[in-house]
Amino acid sequence: MVRISERIKTIAPSMTLAMSAKANELKAAGERVINFGVGEPDFNTPAHIVDAAKDALDKGYTKYVAAAGLPALKKAIVKKLKSENNLDYDPAQIVVSNGAKHSIFNALFATVNPGDEVLVPKPYWLTYPEVIKSCGGVPVYVMAKARHGYKVTAAQIENMITEHTRVLILNSPCNPTGAVYTEQEIRNIAEVCEKYDLTVISDEIYEKLNYSGQPHFSIAQVSPEMKDRTIVINGLSKSYAMTGWRLGYLAAPLKVAKAIASFQSHSTSNVNTMTQYASVAALEGDDKPMRDMLKAFGARREKMLAKLDEMKELGLDYVKPDGAFYVMLLCDEVYGKSYHGEKIHGSMDFSEILLAQKLVATTPGVCFGDDDAIRLSYALSTEDMLDGLKRIADFVKDCK
């Protein structure tokens, strides 16, 4: 009889994938489901990126490359970090992995010992706690409240620090809230991290999806000292519509990058080679398709927020997101009511009944540690988005 390890028993399944599976079942049965749960751009990967992958295949670039990444790609990432973020790295400080999720796992695996506490602003991307636990760490949550724009303060972080605290995860722009930290807010947080000798894992995967009017600011930009305690996480999935290509990367202090590269050489080895050549083309090629995508997301965002403003009279509310492509819809005033006899106790009930009765898929906020809300993505067509919001409004009107 095969025994399951105690380590893996602590890992909860992804509720977002579970909701997506239910939506797909309904679609397969011929139902017209509106899916607000998607966490990926609904745009195709730009043609010049696809062509670069085809070219790599045609040229026979199908062999192993260095486990930490193709040299040409690492150089392109270094150039990007310098030109866009004013951060100086050597290619040896870059590790290319199978998506930003893989990079986050590598970063935590390299920096967390059993019993170490990792501070996680809440609401959080649901994978953070599970990866922390898989590495033997203890997730400690810092509540980012809706009335504060879903952002934690330096003082909140400092109040949660104990003798066991080792790492802070910072995600800006944030999934699921869309919150974007200002430069001053990040500088204040950096001051606390330096004071208490904390490592920061800065998840910047939504960097280019920023509508705040202010340039993206990485905590690694604060000072040389802060850069030396920061692992920057990024990738091409969201910004270049390349979710299925599975390529992320991290930039870290040299000793950390070397340790992670060594570990990756024994786990996954290199990301598939043609994806890496395609990623060079993404970073070095024409960025107009990406700017067009951002413009389209911005237009949808405005339309979604305008419609949600109209829905406030139903007891729904939201916090205006400045980044990513999500809105947290506060629906807790509906809790305690029933939809045709089905009682709504929290965000999971709200999402499940909404899907079953109105064919609208959303992500319950409980997945992210905030049961007062559901997450709506606007990475879907404007037509579907407006139809789905109308269905949500009709659903709430019928809750008594």
Side-chain angles (χ1 to χ4, degrees), residues 55-302:
D55 186 57
L57 290 169
D58 289 341
K59 291 179 177 177
Y61 296 157
T62 58
K63 307 298 184 183
Y64 292 134
V65 295
L70 189 73
L73 176 56
K74 294 172 74 172
K75 288 179 182 178
I77 292 168
V78 166
K79 182 178 179 181
K80 178 267 177 210
L81 290 167
K82 177 60 177 176
S83 63
E84 296 183 9
N85 307 104
N86 197 28
L87 290 171
D88 288 303
Y89 287 99
D90 185 86
Q93 295 177 268
I94 309 299
V95 180
V96 178
S97 301
N98 295 279
K101 183 182 289 188
H102 185 200
S103 297
I104 290 166
F105 175 85
N106 283 345
L108 285 165
F109 193 81
T111 57
V112 174
N113 285 312
D116 285 350
E117 293 178 352
V118 180
L119 299 180
V120 183
K122 175 181 176 180
Y124 46 75
W125 181 46
L126 77 171
T127 292
Y128 294 147
E130 307 311 322
V131 175
I132 292 166
K133 289 185 288 185
S134 73
C135 295
V138 180
V140 175
Y141 304 111
V142 187
M143 189 67 201
K145 297 182 179 180
R147 66 176 180 271
H148 295 148
Y150 282 126
K151 293 189 279 189
V152 298
T153 65
Q156 282 182 284
I157 291 170
E158 186 167 21
N159 287 339
M160 298 300 293
I161 293 173
T162 73
E163 60 180 322
H164 303 294
T165 309
R166 297 291 179 269
V167 177
L168 166 70
I169 294 181
L170 186 64
N171 178 207
S172 177
C174 176
N175 174 13
T177 67
V180 176
Y181 286 80
T182 67
E183 177 177 340
Q184 189 57 56
E185 288 167 339
I186 288 175
R187 287 187 179 278
N188 293 342
I189 291 171
E191 186 176 344
V192 172
C193 294
E194 290 187 10
K195 179 179 177 181
Y196 291 93
D197 191 27
L198 299 186
T199 295
V200 176
I201 296 176
S202 183
D203 184 352
E204 303 177 19
I205 189 67
Y206 289 94
E207 170 192 4
K208 294 183 184 293
L209 298 170
N210 181 349
Y211 322 99
S212 68
Q214 300 298 316
H216 175 76
F217 187 78
S218 171
I219 196 169
Q221 292 175 252
V222 169
S223 66
E225 293 76 18
M226 197 63 230
K227 179 170 171 279
D228 285 343
R229 64 175 67 254
T230 300
I231 302 174
V232 175
I233 307 291
N234 213 320
L236 282 70
S237 294
K238 314 298 183 180
S239 300
Y240 293 88
M242 294 178 68
T243 52
W245 296 74
R246 306 313 304 136
L247 189 140
Y249 62 85
L250 62 81
L254 184 59
K255 68 176 182 179
V256 178
K258 284 184 174 180
I260 290 173
S262 177
F263 170 62
Q264 185 164 294
S265 72
H266 295 293
S267 55
T268 61
S269 193
N270 63 274
V271 176
N272 78 81
T273 308
M274 59 290 305
T275 284
Q276 295 198 54
Y277 280 99
S279 298
V280 173
L283 290 170
E284 295 185 344
D286 181 11
D287 68 347
K288 184 179 183 301
M290 301 305 96
R291 287 185 280 112
D292 290 345
M293 182 178 74
L294 178 60
K295 184 177 179 181
F297 278 137
R300 290 182 200 168
R301 169 178 170 270
E302 292 303 317

Side-chain angles (χ1 to χ4, degrees), residues 32 34-36 42-43 295-304 307 377-390:
R32 184 174 179 272
I34 305 297
N35 191 357
F36 285 107
D42 58 319
F43 296 86
K295 184 177 179 181
F297 278 137
R300 290 182 200 168
R301 169 178 170 270
E302 292 303 317
K303 290 178 180 179
M304 175 177 274
K307 185 58 65 174
S377 167
Y378 45 91
L380 72 171
S381 72
T382 300
E383 179 186 0
D384 282 354
M385 179 180 74
L386 295 177
D387 184 7
L389 291 175
K390 182 181 183 302

